Amino acid sequence: QVQLVESGGGSVQAGGSLRLSCAASGYTYSLICIGWFRQAPGKEREGVAGLYIDGGRTYYADSVAGRGTISQDNAKNTVYLQMNSLKPEDTAMYYCAATYSVRCSSTTDFAYWGQGTQVTVSS
């Protein structure tokens, strides 16, 4: 199993930036993909970005394309999500998730989740 801890959330004005971190520990050797998701109160959880660990391939939701960047620091077993030009609709709890499966295209593919970090964007 793997443990995930998110950090870096906070409250910012529209147009600002945040860098979220996801620190992984435990059995990380066979992890295939790390993903970022978000969920606002009363809303369904949605995917934000994903990263294939071995090859570095990334993917992004249309809602954050051009504003978000996912990256990794293998030495620290950490994955980052840089969010720029933040909008009020980006306000949500952001979660980091991991999978040992080759499938990592939906929430059901991820078995391990962090506790979340809150992002609040004011108008």
Side-chain angles (χ1 to χ4, degrees):
Q1 63 178 355
V2 62
Q3 295 79 45
L4 306 173
V5 179
E6 303 98 331
S7 62
S11 181
V12 299
Q13 294 289 319
S17 299
L18 285 173
R19 188 194 192 195
L20 309 182
S21 298
C22 174
S25 61
Y27 190 73
T28 63
Y29 302 101
S30 298
L31 286 176
I32 300 298
C33 181
I34 298 289
W36 281 98
F37 298 80
R38 66 186 183 186
Q39 186 170 25
K43 307 293 184 180
E44 294 185 355
R45 186 169 299 184
E46 63 175 340
V48 177
L51 169 70
Y52 289 89
I53 295 175
D54 58 350
R57 179 176 175 83
T58 61
Y59 61 90
Y60 299 93
D62 291 340
S63 60
V64 300
R67 301 187 298 118
T69 302
I70 188 170
S71 61
Q72 63 179 330
D73 183 343
N74 289 332
K76 297 182 178 180
N77 288 325
T78 301
V79 174
Y80 304 97
L81 178 65
Q82 178 72 39
M83 291 288 293
N84 301 321
S85 301
L86 286 163
K87 308 173 182 179
E89 51 262 44
D90 292 320
T91 296
M93 184 72 74
Y94 283 70
Y95 297 92
C96 178
T99 181
Y100 296 105
S101 172
V102 296
R103 298 185 62 183
C104 54
S105 59
S106 66
T107 58
T108 58
D109 296 323
F110 293 83
Y112 303 95
W113 296 80
Q115 82 290 342
T117 184
Q118 179 68 39
V119 172
T120 302
V121 184
S122 302
S123 299

